[in-house]
Amino acid sequence: MNEYPQFMTDMINTVSLMYDHGWDERNGGNVSLLLHEDEVSPYFDTKKVIREIPIGFAAPALAGEYFLVTGTGKYFKNVKYDPARNMGLFRLSASGDTAELIWGYSDGGRFTSELPAHLMSHTVRRAIDPANRVVMHCHPVNLLAMSFIHPLDEKEFSHTLWQMCTECMVVFPDGVNVLPWMLCGTNEIGEATAEKMKTARLVVWAQHGIYGVGKDLDEAFGLIETAEKAAEIYMKIEGKPWLQTITDDDLRVIAKAFGVKIREGFLD
């Protein structure tokens, strides 16, 4: 992969790992990485626009920024074999409603149908943390399974995950937000997800998947990976008697030891 910039190699490696984890069957899932011009211009002629692709949504707060985004209908397992066909690099137009393609989508394709949802979440999270660069959506098996049998109340859902392994409180002390089933690929679910992103970096789409954000690909991946591991433990022990657990007092000890702030009102 030496012929690609490091940010592309990182994206290729990450989506391949997501597929290997079983999170992105067929063409399931999508990832967007926000980049600045000084990161892109050493490798690409930013004045040369291959074509313009209407988005169907305007994100003026992100105008002029560059995004590396997985393609619609593309299989993550194929990205490493043909990156230019399965991903695209574009600049968001001055009006924020058009993708000015710089590289990729070489078969005439386009960005994921979830791009409006990504841009909405990027906008919200960037206002909270300007370092946020990544929005990642995938379909982790155990989190999906958990959404069928566990109450979707966000406090309860977060609390259960926190109890499953010590690292959870360290990695996502802001907890997990949850949306009931909604039709994917719509601005409505994008808007609902962005609203949830105001209070947590993980948003579960019940019976569908999860959205996670981070300052880089590793952080977003690790966030989802930790929550999925906790859900796997829960699914293994659900319905069995618990002889011991991590108590709320234990969770407070963890938070204090690692200097993280527990989401207010999420512990009794």
Side-chain angles (χ1 to χ4, degrees):
M1 300 300 177
N2 292 335
E3 65 270 28
Y4 298 110
Q6 188 62 49
F7 61 79
M8 283 192 174
T9 300
D10 291 343
M11 176 74 99
I12 293 164
N13 291 340
T14 298
V15 299
S16 297
L17 191 58
M18 292 170 73
Y19 177 80
D20 290 343
H21 271 52
W23 296 356
D24 297 276
E25 73 293 337
R26 200 172 181 271
N27 62 316
N30 29 79
V31 182
S32 61
L33 169 64
L34 187 156
L35 299 157
H36 303 308
E37 184 163 12
D38 60 356
E39 297 171 293
V40 175
S41 59
Y43 307 99
F44 299 94
D45 181 356
T46 58
K47 294 182 174 62
K48 182 179 179 181
V49 175
I50 299 171
R51 54 191 167 98
E52 295 185 348
I53 312 172
I55 294 173
F57 168 79
L62 300 171
E65 299 288 16
Y66 292 77
F67 291 88
L68 181 63
V69 183
T70 52
T72 186
K74 304 304 183 185
Y75 292 25
F76 275 17
K77 71 182 181 67
N78 294 332
V79 173
K80 62 184 176 182
Y81 302 114
D82 193 349
R85 181 177 181 179
N86 293 287
M87 300 191 300
L89 173 67
F90 59 82
R91 178 177 55 237
L92 205 59
S93 65
S95 56
D97 62 358
T98 301
E100 298 172 346
L101 187 64
I102 305 298
W103 171 92
Y105 306 141
S106 61
D107 61 349
R110 55 189 282 140
F111 42 75
T112 170
S113 62
E114 302 286 2
L115 181 62
H118 280 246
L119 295 178
M120 292 176 200
S121 288
H122 273 292
T123 299
V124 167
R125 289 307 308 181
R126 195 184 195 193
I128 297 168
D129 179 5
N132 188 91
R133 294 285 200 98
V134 175
V135 173
M136 184 176 289
H137 171 57
C138 56
H139 308 152
V141 174
N142 293 286
L143 282 164
L144 263 72
M146 186 173 169
S147 75
F148 282 87
I149 64 173
H150 191 285
L152 298 183
D153 176 81
E154 292 166 347
K155 177 180 176 180
E156 290 186 44
F157 209 95
S158 299
H159 191 267
T160 295
L161 292 177
W162 283 339
Q163 286 185 305
M164 293 301 101
C165 50
T166 302
E167 290 76 12
C168 290
M169 178 56 74
V170 181
V171 176
F172 53 97
D174 47 346
V176 173
N177 283 338
V178 184
L179 286 175
W181 186 90
M182 296 177 68
L183 182 64
C184 60
T186 65
N187 284 0
E188 287 74 20
I189 196 169
E191 291 164 358
T193 302
E195 183 64 28
K196 295 291 187 182
M197 283 288 178
K198 293 179 179 178
T199 51
R201 294 164 298 143
L202 286 169
V203 180
V204 171
W205 287 5
Q207 295 85 51
H208 182 139
I210 193 167
Y211 260 66
V213 300
K215 67 179 184 295
D216 56 32
L217 290 160
D218 279 349
E219 184 177 73
F221 182 93
L223 190 62
I224 294 172
E225 186 177 36
T226 306
E228 169 64 1
K229 179 66 171 288
E232 181 180 6
I233 296 168
Y234 172 77
M235 293 305 299
K236 288 179 183 293
I237 65 174
E238 194 277 328
K240 299 177 182 177
W242 294 12
L243 301 183
Q244 49 275 322
T245 188
I246 300 174
T247 67
D248 280 16
D249 285 342
D250 294 334
L251 292 171
R252 292 186 181 93
V253 168
I254 295 167
K256 183 177 181 181
F258 286 89
V260 297
K261 184 179 180 181
I262 303 171
R263 184 164 171 182
E264 188 174 349
F266 269 42
L267 290 184
D268 295 328

